Amino acid sequence: MVDLKGQYAAIKNEVDASIQEIIDNTTFINGPKVKEFQKNLEDYLGVKHVIPCANGTDALQIAMMGLGLEQGDEVITADFTFAATVEVIALLKLTPVLVDVNPDDFNISIEAIKKAITPKTKAIVPVHLFGQCANMEAIMQIAKEHNLYVIEDNAQGIGANYTYSDGTKAKSGTIGHVASTSFFPSKNLGCYGDGGAIFTNDDDLAHTLRGIVNHGMYQRYHHDVVGVNSRLDSIQAAVLDAKLPKLDSYNNARRDAARQYNAAFKDVNNVITPKTVNGCDGICDTCDCHVFHQYTLKVKNVDRDALVKHLNDNGIPCGVYYPIPLHSQKAYKDDRYNEADFPVTNQLIKEVISLPMHTELEADQIKFITDTVIKFVNNN
């Protein structure tokens, strides 16, 4: 699904030199490279504060801890996403409220959010799924009307631009009160292990978050808040800092691959290509709203699982994100949920399939992949 070896080859000398410098200096934790990457990422995003941490799940949990949410507070998030989003809500003894998503861009439904709000609701966690932003303008308006926090789960969307109705733009993860991201190796900006970060423009919140990531300490052995041990190590920061200047080119390469995929599937019945929020379907040259962390098709009147097997039999990796909705997972089942509230999610889990998507995809590879999909769809 990704070609990390090919990506590494292009930055090998820079990465190797940076890692060797850290080993020589033994600045493994909270070293200069972590602070350098933090500042560079703040500049790239146009956000006041980046707080690096150990992984994306920690980032989301720490963001919620920093907001002071209390046991029993309700947090609304999407049913169609990876479990980490709801996992941290449950770990903090908050009450997850899962809602349906849009059928076209897979992001959280605005109408479903509105219906789910109660007097106990304290936060909304929109997930920028597969690489493009949820409808943040509408979400921020809802949050303002109901005095709610917005925590962006930006694990899949780093580098994407969100365009407001007046034409102005902002980077994903810089719009809500706070945001989290993951630097897992397969992400658009990925390290060579685990890593994550939290973003905010709120000075006071940033101060609180910096204490939480380091055992609640601002001064050694003075624990002012309840914290955790969650730090980005210097070697991972070095890898990320080498990749950060190339992030836009990485994302452009993914968009170009998506355009080639879309063109190949344009006239294929029963194959629905990804939709982008600005309506260009990712084909136009000016699209910057989608960074295609995943390239996810919907197949109609096709045995999706048989297609997965067919691709695997032909040496083509693929993924189903996600085969089981969160409201049906054993850990998160709740009598509050009614299947009638999740018609889109329950349909998507039968139809979605993600094809290889990375910065090193070549035209002949895409042609082989698309020809294989098309042949199966047309013959079944």
Side-chain angles (χ1 to χ4, degrees), residues 1-29:
M1 293 291 283
V2 294
D3 180 10
L4 296 177
K5 287 185 178 180
Q7 190 182 68
Y8 168 64
I11 55 175
K12 182 180 188 303
N13 292 339
E14 183 179 353
V15 168
D16 289 358
S18 293
I19 291 174
Q20 189 60 55
E21 180 183 355
I22 291 165
I23 293 172
D24 291 342
N25 294 333
T26 66
T27 54
F28 300 117
I29 301 293

Side-chain angles (χ1 to χ4, degrees), residues 48-49 200-210:
K48 289 177 70 175
H49 304 284
T200 186
N201 286 304
D202 185 317
D203 295 341
D204 293 335
L205 178 57
H207 175 73
T208 300
L209 296 171
R210 288 195 177 97

Side-chain angles (χ1 to χ4, degrees), residues 27 50 52 64 76 98 119 140 142 153 160 188 198-199 207 225 234 297 311 355 370:
T27 54
V50 167
M64 293 183 189
I76 297 171
L98 298 169
M140 294 306 294
I142 293 170
D153 184 338
N188 294 38
I198 311 147
F199 317 143
H207 175 73
V225 296
S234 299
L297 299 171
L311 291 173
L355 301 181
T370 55

Side-chain angles (χ1 to χ4, degrees), residues 46 53 94 160 164 188 201 210 226 242 297 310 314 375:
C53 64
L94 308 172
Y164 290 90
N188 294 38
N201 286 304
R210 288 195 177 97
V226 175
L297 299 171
H310 177 71
N314 282 273
K375 182 178 179 180

Side-chain angles (χ1 to χ4, degrees), residues 73-133:
D73 287 347
E74 293 180 354
V75 180
I76 297 171
T77 194
D79 186 43
F80 187 66
T81 187
F82 183 59
T85 311
V86 69
E87 182 177 63
V88 297
I89 299 171
L91 281 170
L92 294 173
K93 304 299 183 183
L94 308 172
T95 301
V97 178
L98 298 169
V99 301
D100 211 2
V101 297
N102 300 322
D104 48 0
D105 64 12
F106 313 124
N107 278 321
I108 193 167
S109 162
I110 298 303
E111 292 307 311
I113 291 174
K114 292 177 179 178
K115 291 178 182 178
I117 292 172
T118 75
K120 293 183 179 180
T121 306
K122 293 296 185 292
I124 306 169
V125 183
V127 181
H128 301 324
L129 199 70
F130 299 151
Q132 71 174 327
C133 289

